[in-house]
Amino acid sequence: MVCMHWINDRRGLFVKLDAGEDLFESLEAIAAKELQNGGMILMAIGMLKNSVVGYYNGTNYTKRTLEKGHELLGLHGSIRVIDKSEESKATRIDMHIHCMLANDRHEVVGGHLFSAVVDPLVEMLIIPAEESRITVELNEKTGLREMRVDKIGE
């Protein structure tokens, strides 16, 4: 279900996501229309449920699922472009997102966000890359897919 609302006002994308939306599907839909060169999620607030949060221990991620709703205190990340492949002729998106979530006892948990459902809303600001292109490349040393930023036209 995707019923988000957003506006691009030249300073960034002001986004409102509604209850039941898959956070990552919504971001992919916005990216397909507005973020041809990628972008950065500057901030987001609201609430999420069914969130899968991970901690990277240097080798792999330890994941934890938070089924109940948690207050979204902060969400930041990069929306990176994976260039067109000959097979699909489509640009794909790769996201690296971290979050901070609080439960009903005001305890905070955070880390790498793998998935989440909006409940009841999320308000967000995304800054599109305009004069640069944000892509992803594998760092052979760490084994991690890392952000790469290049000036357009260079």
Side-chain angles (χ1 to χ4, degrees):
M1 173 164 91
V2 177
C3 53
M4 70 254 167
H5 311 283
W6 78 87
I7 187 165
N8 186 342
D9 85 340
R10 294 183 322 145
R11 290 195 170 99
L13 302 174
F14 293 87
V15 179
K16 180 186 172 281
L17 305 178
D18 296 316
E21 289 188 62
D22 179 287
L23 179 70
F24 283 79
E25 285 179 14
S26 296
L27 289 172
E28 287 172 5
I30 292 168
K33 293 183 174 151
E34 299 280 355
L35 303 172
Q36 292 75 24
N37 295 317
M40 298 297 291
I41 300 169
L42 189 60
M43 61 76 61
I45 56 174
M47 279 192 88
L48 298 174
K49 67 178 181 181
N50 298 327
S51 303
V52 178
V53 180
Y55 172 79
Y56 186 69
N57 64 17
T59 306
N60 53 35
Y61 283 94
T62 303
K63 295 180 183 178
R64 177 178 176 191
T65 301
L66 308 170
E67 292 178 10
K68 290 174 37 175
H70 280 66
E71 193 80 31
L72 177 60
L73 305 177
L75 185 136
H76 316 280
S78 57
I79 299 174
R80 307 165 316 181
V81 175
I82 299 174
D83 287 323
K84 295 178 182 179
S85 68
E86 288 304 312
E87 304 85 47
S88 69
K89 298 288 185 195
T91 300
R92 294 186 3 241
I93 299 300
D94 180 79
M95 290 181 266
H96 182 196
I97 299 175
H98 285 210
C99 69
M100 295 171 290
L101 301 164
N103 63 23
D104 57 357
R105 295 181 306 281
H106 303 277
E107 298 165 331
V108 177
V109 64
H112 184 98
L113 186 63
F114 287 94
S115 63
V117 174
V118 175
D119 185 38
L121 67 94
V122 167
E123 299 168 340
M124 179 182 303
L125 174 60
I126 302 172
I127 306 299
E130 295 178 0
E131 296 179 14
S132 57
R133 187 165 175 84
I134 302 171
T135 58
V136 62
E137 68 182 1
L138 179 65
N139 180 326
E140 305 255 342
K141 196 175 202 178
T142 64
L144 297 173
R145 296 165 48 78
E146 299 179 357
M147 181 177 78
R148 176 185 168 110
V149 181
D150 293 301
K151 196 83 163 146
I152 293 177
E154 289 185 2

